[in-house]
Amino acid sequence: MTTDTLKNTATNEPMTATDYRPIERVIAPPRAHMVGDGFRVHGFLPATVGMQRMSPFLVMDYNSKWDVPAGTTPRGVGVHPHRGFETVTIAYKGRVAHHDSSGGGGVIGEGDVQWMTAASGVLHKEYHEEEFSKSGGIFQMVQLWVNLPAKDKMSTPKYQAITHARMAQHALPDNGGSMEVIAGNYQGTQGPATTFTPVHLYNARLNKGGKAELEFPAHYNTALLVIEGSIRVNGTEQVPTDHFVLMGNAPGKILLEATEQAVVLVLSGEPINEPIAAYGPFVMNTEADIRQAIEDFNQGKFGYLED
Ligand code: MN
């Protein structure tokens, strides 16, 4: 496949390597660790690049395909608090159940997303859904922590259940597949999630040979995660399954080409240029904020949730 049909929109000349947004790093999955007994994750963020480099995305835990044995007790993580950010869980295989102390909750299945704004504080628990636990099967998901700006960290918690059916679909040219927009906008197609700062989050579902062009402001922190299949980025860089591509902060389009049928998580966001003080499940701006969070948690101000 060649890229000679892609034109630089400013000059109408064929794209050259210098017109593309540069690739900063291609990162192989770090050694997996367990979160509770239900999530076997590769911690791409913040371990590989730090907490500010991909701001507003603080954490990316990627549970690559895992064949979970059938069991009687659902695996997962018991009741724990969060304050100061949002957790975004994207299910690719298997089903996850969630409950929080603000009354939010539900089950998400293949293709669904739960967008939980912890903000001033919630308790929640995250488990494999009961029937999935009984049958076992392939489990694959991503959890992102999306930071909130200081002015919104103490806002009211909320919960957005974004089923696959609600996502906006943007058909790619030449039957190349679909850009599924979860948040933000792709070429005029607006995703359903509401965000506090500008965030674009898509699943590129590409047929073999399918192409997609992406363009974001140069200062937006931008990355790709190959969930399924393999892709070529910018006409040159071959990226296999489960690899993370950190894009440089320079202008230019990103070209994705599926060398086999592929699913790619695309994330891009305007950085929140504020100090970060992080301690376990709390992400705030100062050490004093963290002490306050711990005190509020100890005093039961995060509400109540049955284990
Ligand atoms: Mn959690």
Side-chain angles (χ1 to χ4, degrees):
M1 176 176 301
T2 63
T3 59
D4 57 3
T5 53
L6 193 68
K7 299 277 177 63
N8 180 320
T9 47
T11 62
N12 206 35
E13 295 293 320
M15 291 281 274
T16 66
T18 52
D19 293 323
Y20 292 121
R21 185 176 183 130
I23 294 167
E24 187 167 309
R25 275 175 78 182
V26 177
I27 303 175
R31 182 192 294 267
H33 67 272
M34 292 302 296
V35 177
D37 65 356
F39 306 97
R40 194 195 67 181
V41 304
H42 306 281
F44 278 105
L45 299 175
T48 62
V49 300
M51 264 203 165
Q52 290 283 16
R53 176 61 187 86
M54 271 302 292
S55 170
F57 309 100
L58 301 163
V59 167
M60 178 193 267
D61 274 346
Y62 172 46
N63 192 132
S64 61
K65 278 182 193 162
W66 175 30
D67 196 353
V68 180
T72 47
T73 311
R75 294 163 174 262
V77 191
V79 175
H80 59 279
H82 289 298
R83 172 181 280 182
F85 59 96
E86 306 183 282
T87 64
V88 178
T89 307
I90 308 163
Y92 291 99
K93 301 279 180 200
R95 292 190 298 280
V96 194
H98 153 99
H99 292 92
D100 72 56
S101 54
S102 78
V107 172
I108 60 163
E110 228 169 271
D112 299 338
V113 171
Q114 59 176 36
W115 197 297
M116 186 190 77
T117 305
S120 64
V122 295
L123 304 176
H124 80 159
K125 54 184 179 180
E126 301 158 274
Y127 283 98
H128 295 189
E129 181 270 335
E130 209 166 329
E131 292 306 313
F132 175 79
S133 289
K134 282 182 192 160
S135 62
I138 303 293
F139 189 79
Q140 185 184 28
M141 54 144 261
V142 168
Q143 185 168 87
L144 301 170
W145 290 12
V146 180
N147 204 5
L148 293 171
K151 68 175 178 57
D152 296 317
K153 280 188 181 291
M154 293 302 284
S155 62
T156 308
K158 68 172 184 175
Y159 182 79
Q160 301 174 70
I162 302 168
T163 56
H164 188 252
R166 283 186 60 205
M167 288 173 196
Q169 302 287 342
H170 186 105
L172 295 168
D174 307 322
N175 287 319
S178 179
M179 192 66 78
E180 192 171 274
V181 186
I182 301 166
N185 189 290
Y186 180 75
Q187 296 184 2
T189 301
Q190 184 70 33
T194 60
T195 64
F196 286 78
T197 60
V199 166
H200 300 283
L201 191 65
Y202 320 141
N203 279 315
R205 296 187 184 270
L206 302 170
N207 299 324
K208 182 175 181 179
K211 294 182 187 182
E213 272 182 49
L214 301 162
E215 193 168 20
F216 305 107
H219 70 290
Y220 278 31
N221 291 324
T222 301
L224 312 168
L225 177 66
V226 182
I227 300 291
E228 191 83 53
S230 67
I231 58 167
R232 188 183 301 128
V233 181
N234 293 351
T236 52
E237 186 79 31
Q238 198 70 38
V239 184
T241 313
D242 297 343
H243 282 56
F244 180 89
V245 184
L246 177 66
M247 302 306 298
N249 288 98
K253 291 184 180 180
I254 302 166
L255 174 64
L256 308 183
E257 296 171 279
T259 48
E260 55 183 311
Q261 191 169 328
V263 178
V264 182
L265 178 65
V266 177
L267 48 163
S268 182
E270 183 174 61
I272 297 171
N273 292 313
E274 294 176 357
I276 292 174
Y279 179 77
F282 309 126
V283 183
M284 303 300 289
N285 300 108
T286 68
E287 290 305 317
D289 296 339
I290 293 293
R291 283 194 296 275
Q292 187 67 52
I294 294 167
E295 196 179 313
D296 290 350
F297 171 64
N298 287 336
Q299 289 183 3
K301 290 186 181 170
F302 283 56
Y304 175 76
L305 185 65
E306 200 169 320
D307 217 332

